[in-house]
Amino acid sequence: MLFDYELITHVLNNYQNTLKEIRNKLNRPLTLTEKILYSHVSNKADIREIKRGDEYIEFNPDRVAMQDATAQMALLQFMQAGRPKVAVPTTVHCDHLILAEKGATSDLQKALTDNEEVYNFLYSVSQKYGIGFWKPGAGIIHQVILENYAFPGGMMIGTDSHTPNAGGLGMIAIGVGGADAVDVMAGLPWELKFPKILGVKLTGELKGWTSPKDVILKLAGILTVKGGTGYIIEYFGPGTETISCTGKATICNMGAEVGATCSIFPYDKRMKDYLIQTGREKVAQLCETVSKELCPDMDVVLNPENYYDSVIEIDLSNLEPYLNGPFTPDLATPISQIKEKAIANNWPLKVEVGLIGSCTNSSYEDLSRSASIARQAVSKKLKAKAEFIITPGSEQIYETIERDGILKDFENINGVVLANACGPCIGQWARHRYGPDDEPNTIVTSFNRNFAKRNDGNPKTHAFVSSPEIVTALVLSGDITFNPLTDKLINEEGVEVMLDPPVGDEFPKNGFTCSNSGYVPPAEQSQNLNVDVRADSQRLQLLEPFPPNNGDLIGLYLLLKIKGKCTTDHISPAGPWLKYRGHLDNISNNCFMGAINAFNNKSNSVKNLVTCEYGTVSQVQRFYKQKGIGTIVVGDENYGEGSSREHAAMEPRYLGVKAILVRSFARIHETNLKKQGILALTFADPKDYDKIQEEDKIDILGLDNFSPQKPLTVVIHHTDGTKETILANHSYNATQIEWYKAGGALNIIRNQFSKKEM
């Protein structure tokens, strides 16, 4: 099925025309990032030299995508906006709520029963508001988007941090919170601080065991989890043409792990071929007419230091496979060094489970290369020494690999195929272990994220991220120190054998097949359709507007001072809590439950400053809310990294937290806090973090004159009667300050549309 052809035609025609205006005004060569961003600015006056990393600019994205866990809250917010239909093409993808337990068929059937109320809500709201709906089992949002909607030169936002996956098809695709999606769905411009641009020059060509995944695994080691914050990563150079479209998508997908706004590759023959193979030949023809402008200008390629804010070069020919982890995706280790490092760090050497697939690595090419390793296992009389789990990315991928015998290859080494959904990648995994839960253990995945407890809820699980090919080899060895490039295995007959490098096909020889995509178009006549939410529902809850914010914040109690890494998984864990993603009161019971209290080194244990007793964070905060006591949370570096889930901002707001003061923020989470009306501040001097004591009361002054680039004053009152005064910075612009004063951006949207109706 060809989606949005008229839209794509309009976008690419407008793109070419706008570029003439851009060139006239800037009078210099352009990066690909600049071409696409400038062609999507909402106000043509913003087609000028913009100070990257400093100025906020409004854009008009072409489309919105949401997955079922984030769509619930986003759509509950949209229902308050007063719009009869979404203003741009929008889709909902049901991929997050399917628990991986036994296998594809039984897991999907159980999910349909367990989540019936939520699926019915998402379906009905999609029908009513003109949203395309992808059924449970249809596939993972990012793979489905790549197969059906992504196109070179386009711009998309999605309520999932791995939305940048579409950059593999030359699209600016950015992960956002639900409130941002509501803006665009409501027909309003979307605001973004104009990113800096990191140019990554690729030379050479991948060979042997090395895969596209290793490009981003290496880059994560260079940049760390926050090194890409505020940047779009633009890949260029001759090496880009040697990587398949889906390989490019893998690299862009995991750019989220370095904090990048998104990542993008220039248009080439590999993208053209992918469009044709996925039934979009007419889109490929359109792209060919503007192909020169779907790449950076030649002088940018020849003199990158003059146009990118920073440049990194990677020689693909000398790249080796990587394993990243445990507990963070930027702990990068070349496979030749993993043995030494694992032993030195006392990591569990036995591999208990290997998992391949997910939104990051579930293409036909990925799975066919892994299948070649599985076939070798049979021919060389090797048996799997670890559990082997496979997650196809879409129904199209599933049906195609089933037809081509790839599923059988996996089953021949006892592989278990799960539903076309996220599953273990996001903690939706009923893992069956025989050892005690507090026993350190090792798993290897081709996923993107490996924070503690991320996959199976066990803080002792050491998760390592690698390519599907390396994961499959480690399943056969059962040992994290195995290097298939140099090491041999002992087969059933006691003979030493060595694995050959993987081989696979970029596309299926007989084309893709899909008998039932799982797509449901919106209703043509929807004015009389209703969206019902039961008053006694434990899964869904209609939203009430948050109250406005007025004046200085005086006498805030310290709810929690967080020590070290605090991702959105720490603030609002997934796993079993996913079922409450549409019920703000219920899910708020998990608020900050994974964050470590700096004063007792415990999670979900904070001091009630009224009763002097310790309780869970949500219990103590609910107590304060009932008493009318405002609170503040203090955090460390890169606070809120990871998933885009806006629940990590909405829950503290709902419970009564007034401000978050940290050393630094991750991009998406900072915006989510602003959108929901929580004051997001950073220490002007990061060392002031150390001044905060457990029983402090805190004032935030200067809010009566809250203005851009003007620091606020923070007064810390200690229990011994002393006080300290420090400064706190913020990144609010004039529009965002109005969000804060109104009590949240949605309140402004609602007021705008209610005035139009009057």
Side-chain angles (χ1 to χ4, degrees), residues 176-177 644-646 649 668-676:
V176 299
S644 66
R645 66 191 65 156
E646 66 181 338
I668 298 177
H669 187 66
E670 182 180 21
T671 301
N672 285 345
L673 291 170
K674 292 177 179 179
K675 286 279 186 176
Q676 300 302 335

Side-chain angles (χ1 to χ4, degrees), residues 631-642:
T631 59
I632 184 172
V633 171
V634 172
D636 212 321
E637 296 279 2
N638 205 30
Y639 174 89
E641 69 173 282

Side-chain angles (χ1 to χ4, degrees), residues 270-299:
R270 310 299 278 268
M271 293 187 190
K272 175 185 176 182
D273 291 344
Y274 186 77
L275 287 168
I276 293 171
Q277 289 285 332
T278 52
R280 293 173 284 173
E281 185 171 1
K282 291 173 68 176
V283 176
Q285 291 170 351
L286 278 175
C287 292
E288 286 294 296
T289 65
V290 293
S291 60
K292 181 181 177 182
E293 299 295 7
L294 296 172
C295 302
D297 288 341
M298 186 52 64
D299 198 55

Side-chain angles (χ1 to χ4, degrees), residues 85-104:
K85 294 274 189 182
V86 292
V88 301
T90 302
T91 51
V92 168
H93 304 258
C94 297
D95 62 359
H96 270 56
L97 299 179
I98 301 172
L99 180 67
E101 186 172 12
K102 297 178 180 178

Side-chain angles (χ1 to χ4, degrees), residues 12-29:
L12 291 181
N13 286 341
N14 182 66
Y15 176 74
Q16 193 167 25
N17 294 332
T18 304
L19 280 174
K20 295 177 183 177
E21 185 177 352
I22 296 168
R23 293 187 189 285
N24 288 335
K25 290 188 175 182
L26 301 187
N27 194 30
R28 62 168 174 79

Side-chain angles (χ1 to χ4, degrees), residues 225 324-332 449-452 463 465 565 641:
V225 291
N324 284 27
F327 306 126
T328 185
D330 61 349
L331 183 55
R449 212 162 264 167
N450 60 346
F451 304 134
V465 176
K565 185 185 283 285
E641 69 173 282

Side-chain angles (χ1 to χ4, degrees), residues 567-740:
T567 71
T568 50
D569 282 80
H570 291 86
I571 304 168
S572 177
W577 291 95
L578 279 172
K579 63 185 177 182
Y580 297 125
R581 283 287 181 87
H583 197 293
L584 186 54
D585 186 60
N586 282 346
I587 198 170
S588 292
N589 288 323
N590 76 3
C591 192
F592 289 110
M593 70 183 300
I596 301 300
N597 185 340
F599 301 112
N600 61 13
N601 288 315
K602 294 180 180 180
S603 62
N604 211 22
S605 174
V606 295
K607 189 173 186 178
N608 185 319
L609 303 187
V610 176
T611 67
C612 295
E613 297 175 348
Y614 282 84
T616 68
V617 182
S618 63
Q619 287 171 345
V620 173
Q621 181 56 40
R622 286 182 188 274
F623 175 90
Y624 290 148
K625 182 179 181 180
Q626 187 179 32
K627 298 291 185 182
I629 298 170
T631 59
I632 184 172
V633 171
V634 172
D636 212 321
E637 296 279 2
N638 205 30
Y639 174 89
E641 69 173 282
S643 170
S644 66
R645 66 191 65 156
E646 66 181 338
H647 298 76
M650 294 186 76
E651 292 174 31
R653 175 73 164 116
Y654 173 75
L655 292 175
V657 175
K658 302 297 184 183
I660 307 288
L661 175 62
V662 301
R663 282 175 163 155
S664 66
F665 284 106
R667 175 190 65 84
I668 298 177
H669 187 66
E670 182 180 21
T671 301
N672 285 345
L673 291 170
K674 292 177 179 179
K675 286 279 186 176
Q676 300 302 335
I678 289 186
L679 191 61
L681 305 175
T682 56
F683 290 102
D685 181 352
K687 293 192 293 293
D688 287 341
Y689 167 91
D690 298 321
K691 295 178 179 178
I692 306 297
Q693 299 174 17
E694 187 171 27
E695 298 183 9
D696 285 345
K697 308 292 193 311
I698 295 173
D699 303 333
I700 300 176
L701 310 178
L703 289 168
D704 286 331
N705 297 303
F706 194 12
S707 58
Q709 300 181 335
K710 184 178 180 180
L712 297 173
T713 299
V714 176
V715 182
I716 309 165
H717 299 271
H718 301 307
T719 53
D720 63 2
T722 63
K723 65 180 182 181
E724 299 182 73
T725 300
I726 64 174
L727 291 179
N729 295 329
H730 66 84
S731 62
Y732 285 79
N733 60 25
T735 299
Q736 294 169 347
I737 289 172
E738 293 306 310
W739 297 347
Y740 174 74

